[in-house]
């Protein structure tokens, strides 16, 4: 078997001793070196494997170990030790008979692993010694920022700009993480964390999707939606079908949501007539509500319709601002 240097790369986001069987086989059968002490070196030593820490001259130390034993293992640091890999690659390219360089993954980042990094970064920013601005915020002072970031994500969706959407969703996530971190500073009995947010979401998704997680019959999309509504109603004791509607949303969207909720249970409550109202504002409001009701009957989203027409009008305004071509 040819001489080889195994560069063992692991995920810093998983428990240090959680390695593949192949990784454990190689660290138990060959000299193991590392650039410094870490949770990984501790875990490997705890399994009975000797680890030599090399503070300088790692390339030569590995070549010496290969010459003596045929195989040597390097426990890469959290960043992967790319500089060492590059140095080794150049040396072995010049002297290919010394050894072969093999990259082995002892563990991989699971999906969502970078969320752990985001939580860690936010914790540092919102802790003593971090960012004074973030530490000075409250849930109420951040409320406007959360709305603004959601609107910017909506704009990216409307523009079919998926790159911008990725970035804007990151800004929405920042708000979620900051709110959760601030909640950790609430008084005892009131505080909660990002894990409580995620845990509640997981429980809700599992509970409301029995056709996926509990072996229930899926049925049609309409039946799935009806099941979702039944489960939601059982979870939350509500006195009205309108309970739970976000009242701070734009008035046009709010009107459509209220009409939709009333229509779901067959309530025939006619909107007020414009000519019965006593003042101009009430008459205009009644007229607008009637327009929203007509849009719902036609299957049109009134918020999207007005936005589309308004943006077209904005383009016309911009065109009119341009000086005439001589």
């Amino acid at each position: 078997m040819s001489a080889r240097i195994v560069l063992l790369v692991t995920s810093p986001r998983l428990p240090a001793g959680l390695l593949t069987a192949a990784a454990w086989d190689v660290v138990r059968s060959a000299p193991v070196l590392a650039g410094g002490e870490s949770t990984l070196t501790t875990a490997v030593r705890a399994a009975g494997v000797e680890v030599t820490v090399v503070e300088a001259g790692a390339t030569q130390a590995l070549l010496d170990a290969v010459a003596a034993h045929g195989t040597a293992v390097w426990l890469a640091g959290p960043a992967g030790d790319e500089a060492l890999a590059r140095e080794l690659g150049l040396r072995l390219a010049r002297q290919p008979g010394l050894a072969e360089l093999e990259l082995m993954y002892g563990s991989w980042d699971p999906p969502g692993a970078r969320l752990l990094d985001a939580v860690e970064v936010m914790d540092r920013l919102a802790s003593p010694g971090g960012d004074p601005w973030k530490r000075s915020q409250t849930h109420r002072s951040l409320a406007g920022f959360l709305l603004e970031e959601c609107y910017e994500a909506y704009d990216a969706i409307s523009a079919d700009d998926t790159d911008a959407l990725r970035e804007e969703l990151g800004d929405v996530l920042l708000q979620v993480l900051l709110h959760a971190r601030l909640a950790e500073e609430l008084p005892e009995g009131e505080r909660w964390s990002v894990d409580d947010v995620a845990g509640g979401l997981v429980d809700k998704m599992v509970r409301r999707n029995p056709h996926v997680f509990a072996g229930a019959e899926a049925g049609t999309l309409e039946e799935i939606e009806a099941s979702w509504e039944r489960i939601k109603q059982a979870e939350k004791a509500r006195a009205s079908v309108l309970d739970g509607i976000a009242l701070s949303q734009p008035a046009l969207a709010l009107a459509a949501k209220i009409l939709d909720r009333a229509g779901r249970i067959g309530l025939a409550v006619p909107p007020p007539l414009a000519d019965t109202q006593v003042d101009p504002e009430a008459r205009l409001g009644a007229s607008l509500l009637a327009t929203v009701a007509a849009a719902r009957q036609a299957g049109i989203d009134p918020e999207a319709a007005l936005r589309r027409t308004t943006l077209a009008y904005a383009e016309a305004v911009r065109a009119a601002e341009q000086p005439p071509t001589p």
Side-chain angles (χ1 to χ4, degrees), residues 189-223:
E190 298 179 25
R191 66 184 61 139
W192 42 270
S193 70
V194 69
D195 285 320
D196 296 310
V197 175
L201 174 61
V202 169
D203 291 344
K204 182 187 295 185
M205 288 192 296
V206 171
R207 193 170 56 246
R208 293 188 182 180
N209 291 278
H211 58 289
V212 177
F213 298 102
E217 197 69 34
T220 65
L221 289 178
E222 290 75 13
E223 290 170 338

Side-chain angles (χ1 to χ4, degrees), residues 25 35 93 98 110 113 115 135 140 146 205 216 272 297:
D25 286 344
L98 293 177
L115 290 173
R135 287 180 50 76
R140 188 173 291 276
L146 179 58
M205 288 192 296
Q297 289 293 324

